[in-house]
Amino acid sequence: MHDPLTGAPRTAGHDLPVSPEFEVFMAGGWAPTPLPADIRSAAADFTPARRARLSARFPGERLVIPAGELKVRSNDCDHRFRPYSAYAWLTGLTGEEQAGHVLVLEPDGPHRHEAVLYVRPRSPRTDGGFYRDRRYGEFWVGRRPDLDETARMTGIRCAVIGDRAEPPPGRDATVDAELRAAFSELRLIKDAWEVGQLQLAVDHTVAGFEDVVRALPRALAHPRGERWIEGVFGLRARAEGNGTGYETIVASGAHACVLHWIRNDGPLDARRLLLLDAGVETDSLYTADITRTLPLSGRYSPVQRQVYDLVLAAQDAGIAALRPGASFRDFHRAAMRVIAEGLTEWGVLKSPEGDFHRRYTLCSSGHMLGLDVHDCAQARAESYLDGVLAEGQVLTVEPGLYLQADDETLPDELRGIGVRIEDDLVITAEGARLMSGALPRTPDAIEAWMGELIESR
C-alpha cells in the first residue's frame, strides 16, 4: 500500500505519510543495540521436559500453540497483552512483545516433535515500520529481540512468522479441547522452578497486604476507600512483578458478601470488616491468591470474631485434610462440615446434615494455583476435581461465610458480614506446606500485626 499523495509505502495503522527523502533519512545512522549475551530465560532449563511430556501425549500430530493476539480496548488503544498460559509454559516467554507469535511442535519421528517458534523479529530499520507502526513499531512499543536472541532465550529454533508456509492440518490450541485439557493436566504438578516462582509471588503479595494496612488511615478518610486500597496493592504488584494476577477484590462491609466484588467503589467504615482478596503476578506470570478479612477499627467486634473464628476453624480443618493421595474434594468437605456444625450451634441451621449450609457459603473452598489464578481449569474431572492430590501441586484453601444483608433467615447482628480466609499451599510428601504463613491468620495475631504496622507509619 502506498500513500496517494507522496507515493511512499505505508501499512494499515501507520501515522501520517512521510516523504521518500524522510524515509531514506530514517533508514540509516543507527548504532547497533544488541541484547546482552546471557539472556537465556530462567525457565528454559525446564521447558524441554514440558514439551516432551506434551509430545508424548500426541505422537505424530502437529501441535499449534499461539501466544494470542492484541485486543482493542478503545479505538486505537489495545489492552495490555499477556501471553496464553500454555504458550508461556512451553516457551518460557512472557513479555508483551509475544503478541501474534506461534509455537509449533512439528512431528519428528513417531515419538518426538521439533519445536519451531514463529515470531515477529526485530525491524532491520530498512522500512518505516519501526517508527510508523503504532501497534508493533519499536519506537512505539519498545525493542523486540531478533531471531538469534529469541533462540538464545528459549533454546528453540526460530523463524519469521511471515515466512511460515500454509501449514498442514494440526491440533490448534485455540480450538482443540483435548489439547487444552492436556495443557491443564500436565501443569497440575509444578516443577521446582514453578514452586519457587509461586513462593516469590506469595512473598510479594504479603508485602502488598502490609502496604494496605499501613494505608488504612488515609483510605478510611477517602470517599472511595476501596479504590484507594486497590491502588495501594496495585502499586506493589506493578513494582515487584507483572501486575495483579486477577482483578483485586476490595470489599468492605456487606460488599464482602459478593464473591467477586471488583467495583471497589465504596467507602470504608471503621465499624465494618474489609475483605481483601489479592495476588501479585510475577514477571514469569505465576500468581499468588490470598485473602484476609480485617477489622477496619483494628479490633474485631464480638460478633465479627464469632464469624471469623468459625471460618478459621473450617480452614484449619481443610488444611489438615491435605496430603498426597487424598481426594481433591476432601479438604472442601472437611471445611464445610465445620461450617455446617457451627451454623447449627448458632441456631441458623436445624441440622448440619444436607446442603443447606450452602446458602451461606455459596462456592467451593479452593482451587489449583499457578500461571492462572484458577489454574488447570480445563483438566478432565477425573484428573482434577474427582482426582487425588499429589506432591508438587499448589492450591488454595479458602472457605468463607457470606451472610447477606437482606437474609431474613439470619439474626440481625449477623447480616451483612462476609468473611473469607485464603492461603496458598504446596503438597509435600508429608502433607502440605503453608506458603503464605508470613501473613497472620488468627484474630489476635491480625490485631497485633495491624497495630504494629499502623503505629510504624
Side-chain angles (χ1 to χ4, degrees):
M1 182 186 299
H2 287 71
D3 182 81
L5 296 178
T6 66
R10 70 177 185 183
T11 303
H14 284 186
D15 204 349
L16 293 173
V18 299
S19 67
E21 293 79 12
F22 184 76
E23 283 204 338
V24 171
F25 177 63
M26 288 295 289
W30 303 109
T33 56
L35 292 179
D38 185 15
I39 55 173
R40 184 174 172 84
S41 163
D45 291 338
F46 296 88
T47 55
R50 298 172 189 173
R51 294 192 296 271
R53 290 165 59 204
L54 180 64
S55 177
R57 292 279 288 263
F58 298 95
E61 298 195 62
R62 186 175 192 269
L63 308 178
V64 180
I65 305 98
E69 300 289 347
L70 292 170
K71 295 186 183 299
V72 174
R73 180 185 185 277
S74 174
N75 192 25
D76 59 350
C77 296
D78 292 316
H79 285 282
R80 188 181 297 277
F81 180 77
R82 181 192 187 279
Y84 177 40
S85 293
Y87 173 92
W89 187 69
L90 292 166
T91 65
L93 297 173
T94 61
E96 295 183 27
E97 74 281 356
Q98 297 304 311
H101 296 181
V102 180
L103 174 68
V104 178
L105 299 185
E106 300 282 3
D108 186 19
H111 302 295
R112 62 186 299 271
H113 290 74
E114 181 196 13
V116 184
L117 192 57
Y118 291 92
V119 303
R120 180 181 292 104
R122 189 183 186 200
S123 168
R125 298 193 179 178
T126 56
D127 57 32
F130 70 98
Y131 67 94
R132 297 181 67 193
D133 188 332
R134 293 170 178 259
R135 209 172 201 196
Y136 300 110
E138 183 175 330
F139 284 10
W140 287 93
V141 298
R143 186 196 193 287
R144 285 193 304 274
D146 63 27
L147 292 184
D148 289 340
E149 289 167 340
T150 303
R152 295 207 312 272
M153 287 179 182
T154 61
I156 301 173
R157 181 166 73 84
C158 296
V160 177
I161 195 165
D163 294 343
R164 187 174 162 214
E166 185 65 27
R171 289 183 181 265
D172 187 329
T174 61
V175 296
D176 192 289
E178 187 177 356
L179 184 54
R180 294 199 305 272
F183 291 145
S184 284
E185 291 164 8
L186 291 172
R187 286 167 36 216
L188 280 167
I189 296 176
K190 272 56 181 178
D191 57 42
W193 185 80
E194 290 179 290
V195 173
Q197 290 299 296
L198 285 162
Q199 185 63 65
L200 181 63
V202 167
D203 294 345
H204 290 322
T205 301
V206 169
F209 273 71
E210 293 172 348
D211 295 339
V212 163
V213 172
R214 293 189 188 97
L216 282 178
R218 293 192 70 181
L220 281 159
H222 196 278
R224 292 207 290 184
E226 290 178 347
R227 289 270 170 98
W228 193 277
I229 294 304
E230 179 184 1
V232 168
F233 188 86
L235 173 60
R236 174 67 66 171
R238 282 295 283 169
E240 305 289 3
N242 188 53
T244 55
Y246 53 95
E247 293 293 331
T248 301
I249 297 168
V250 188
S252 61
H255 289 167
C257 299
V258 180
L259 291 178
H260 288 168
W261 176 261
I262 60 172
R263 297 181 199 171
N264 301 343
D265 60 358
L268 304 183
D269 183 336
R271 299 168 296 176
R272 309 298 181 193
L273 297 173
L274 173 71
L275 188 156
L276 175 62
D277 185 335
V280 172
E281 179 181 82
T282 63
D283 290 331
S284 60
L285 305 187
Y286 289 83
T287 186
D289 183 8
I290 299 174
T291 306
R292 289 292 183 270
T293 307
L294 309 174
L296 284 167
S297 68
R299 293 287 185 271
Y300 294 95
S301 71
V303 70
Q304 290 169 353
R305 185 178 280 254
Q306 173 189 344
V307 177
Y308 190 98
D309 281 343
L310 179 54
V311 176
L312 180 62
Q315 193 196 34
D316 285 341
I319 291 173
L322 298 177
R323 63 184 182 279
S327 167
F328 173 80
R329 297 185 189 271
D330 282 352
F331 75 90
H332 172 66
R333 297 187 184 106
M336 291 302 98
R337 183 68 187 181
V338 171
I339 291 287
E341 290 173 351
L343 291 173
T344 303
E345 290 177 8
W346 294 353
V348 172
L349 295 179
K350 295 179 180 179
S351 165
E353 303 307 320
D355 62 356
F356 294 102
H357 65 277
R358 294 178 63 181
R359 179 181 178 111
Y360 314 102
T361 61
L362 300 177
C363 67
S364 185
S365 300
H367 51 81
M368 293 297 175
L369 187 67
L371 282 168
D372 299 322
V373 64
H374 297 146
D375 207 35
C376 309
Q378 303 299 317
R380 294 167 298 176
E382 59 267 28
S383 299
Y384 180 179
L385 298 178
D386 296 327
V388 297
L389 297 176
E391 186 175 357
Q393 291 179 339
V394 178
L395 72 164
T396 73
V397 177
E398 54 169 323
L401 273 174
Y402 311 100
L403 309 177
Q404 305 295 332
D406 58 353
D407 190 342
E408 294 181 339
T409 70
L410 295 168
D412 288 345
E413 66 270 17
L414 289 176
R415 297 181 191 176
I417 296 177
V419 173
R420 178 164 66 250
I421 311 169
E422 180 178 21
D423 284 278
D424 303 341
L425 301 102
V426 57
I427 303 299
T428 65
E430 295 76 27
R433 176 172 64 84
L434 185 62
M435 302 175 77
S436 48
L439 272 182
R441 296 168 57 237
T442 68
D444 288 344
I446 286 174
E447 289 176 351
W449 172 71
M450 292 181 67
E452 292 169 1
L453 288 173
I454 292 173
E455 186 176 326
S456 66
R457 288 177 62 246

